Amino acid sequence: MYTGEVVYIIIRNPHAQDVANVQQAAVVQNPDNPTELALFSHENYFPLTDELAVFKTESEAEKAFYEAFGSPEEGGIYG
């Protein structure tokens, strides 16, 4: 990944853990450690670690989301 790249992540709402959705994020320099990369989405920075599922396209992220959480029609977790 490189600075300025747009990617997609699956993220849970920190205030309602039963809500998750696919969000667009930008790859940026980590403001806390300029030698590392981070993801920036909705005014928040997320350190870029192996624990994050990062996808190149929205369709890849949505496919993984539905495999993990199901669809709203199936009563899965959604945002």
Side-chain angles (χ1 to χ4, degrees):
M1 277 184 254
Y2 58 89
T3 302
E5 184 176 7
V6 174
V7 296
Y8 296 86
I9 57 174
I10 298 171
I11 192 163
R12 288 184 187 255
N13 182 324
H15 304 292
Q17 286 295 305
D18 61 339
V19 177
N21 56 34
V22 173
Q23 290 185 7
Q24 189 179 62
V27 179
V28 297
Q29 277 188 303
N30 186 337
D32 297 325
N33 186 348
T35 63
E36 296 178 354
L37 296 177
L39 297 176
F40 184 72
S41 181
H42 295 285
E43 306 292 325
N44 292 299
Y45 290 94
F46 302 95
L48 193 53
T49 66
D50 291 338
E51 295 176 9
L52 287 174
V54 180
F55 303 90
K56 295 271 185 194
T57 68
E58 187 174 17
S59 62
E60 289 174 336
E62 287 177 349
K63 180 180 177 192
F65 175 88
Y66 290 125
E67 287 174 3
F69 299 110
S71 67
E73 293 80 28
E74 296 171 353
I77 298 173
Y78 58 95

